[in-house]
Amino acid sequence: MVESRVILHAHWLSSCSWRVRAMLHAKSIPFEERPVDIVKTGKQLTEEYRAINPAQKVPALEIDGVTLVESMAIMQYIEDTRPEPKLMPDTALQRARMREICETIVSGIQPLQNFGLKKHLGTEEKFLSFTKYWTERGLQTLNDLLAKTSGAYCIGDQITLADICLVPQIYNGVSRHKLDLKTYPIVSKVYENLLKEELFQATHPKATKEKLKINL
Ligand SMILES: N[C@@H](CCC(=O)N[C@@H](CS)C(=O)NCC(=O)O)C(=O)O
């Protein structure tokens, strides 16, 4: 394997960035996080950043001499190249269950609440009601899926990619969209269990903001 410095281009509060940050932490891969200001200055929309990620979004990961984009592709690459500790279940059925949860979040919720949509949805009010609707539908789906699969975590008692997708998305919903998790008791229980894990405390946006000395 080519050895090189690992650089995560990310935003401290971005849920997709948190997925990759957690993945790197779980696998004990040392990395440098380079902040991309996607909120105030819109650095992601510059030509300079486009050369890093053609989608002009975070995250992007420089690893093993290549640059990877799309958080799920990055997570799978890390899992494939650094198999320990294992973050995928053993059976094909459980891996499919894990991906149902990942897809519900990655395709079904996150893109429909990404703040990049804001300027295309007219008013703040329209943006908020649009994102709230799709997030709530997604959370209901997750609650139903978790009823079949969860133990302490999304898939039984093993931390998997599903948990790494779940925590950042629920944190977003609760902190930004002020969603009440009481309506989704299984999501709420799994989320609370996961938040206690060192993996999510160490990679939490607040810890990251402090570590990177980001002042807002
Ligand atoms: N499917 C992409 C989504 C990336 C994405 O939407 N990133 C958001 C932050 S979580 C972003 O960069 N938003 C800024 C924008 O859309 O301009 C992934 O999983 O990496």
Side-chain angles (χ1 to χ4, degrees):
M1 184 180 298
V2 186
E3 278 305 324
S4 63
R5 217 145 55 102
V6 176
I7 299 168
L8 173 62
H9 301 269
H11 185 271
W12 63 277
L13 195 51
S14 139
S15 61
C16 309
S17 301
W18 191 357
R19 291 174 201 155
V20 176
R21 189 186 301 121
M23 200 68 197
L24 291 166
H25 186 86
K27 302 285 185 178
S28 304
I29 303 169
F31 65 99
E32 174 196 337
E33 179 158 340
R34 276 198 200 155
V36 180
D37 179 4
I38 60 171
V39 180
K40 277 195 181 157
T41 58
K43 166 103 191 294
Q44 78 280 22
L45 301 174
T46 61
E47 283 306 303
E48 186 195 348
Y49 185 72
R50 190 174 172 194
I52 295 170
N53 184 346
Q56 299 187 290
K57 291 178 180 183
V58 287
L61 187 71
E62 296 182 39
I63 189 167
D64 301 337
V66 295
T67 303
L68 296 174
V69 298
E70 284 296 335
S71 60
M72 282 307 290
I74 298 173
M75 289 164 76
Q76 188 66 56
Y77 177 82
I78 295 174
E79 182 67 15
D80 291 346
T81 55
R82 279 92 171 160
E84 294 301 327
K86 205 165 187 288
L87 294 173
M88 289 185 47
D90 286 330
T91 70
L93 177 60
Q94 285 200 317
R95 285 195 294 274
R97 294 291 186 214
M98 180 195 79
R99 288 200 181 92
E100 288 175 345
I101 295 164
C102 292
E103 284 301 331
T104 300
I105 296 163
V106 170
S107 317
I109 303 178
Q110 187 275 330
L112 298 169
Q113 53 81 77
N114 178 24
F115 86 92
L117 293 180
K118 205 169 183 167
K119 56 181 177 286
H120 304 285
L121 285 170
T123 61
E124 174 85 11
E125 199 187 355
K126 273 197 190 142
F127 172 69
L128 287 177
S129 76
F130 181 89
T131 56
K132 187 166 184 284
Y133 173 77
W134 288 108
T135 304
E136 286 178 346
R137 266 192 74 168
L139 286 179
Q140 189 55 63
T141 308
L142 284 176
N143 206 67
D144 293 350
L145 291 175
L146 290 176
K148 287 188 282 189
T149 62
S150 66
Y153 309 129
C154 288
I155 308 291
D157 295 331
Q158 179 194 4
I159 293 194
T160 67
L161 304 195
D163 301 298
I164 291 182
C165 291
L166 184 95
V167 171
Q169 198 60 55
I170 305 303
Y171 178 71
N172 243 355
V174 172
S175 62
R176 279 189 10 212
H177 302 286
K178 312 281 176 236
L179 293 179
D180 185 354
L181 290 185
K182 277 200 215 78
T183 326
Y184 318 100
I186 309 176
V187 172
S188 178
K189 183 199 77 182
V190 170
Y191 177 61
E192 291 304 325
N193 291 341
L194 287 164
L195 276 186
K196 290 185 199 127
E197 289 292 326
E198 190 273 341
L199 172 60
F200 294 106
Q201 290 179 6
T203 57
H204 195 282
K206 284 184 188 157
T208 306
K209 189 178 173 207
E210 220 172 276
K211 194 163 143 198
L212 298 175
K213 298 186 175 37
I214 291 169
N215 288 313
L216 285 179

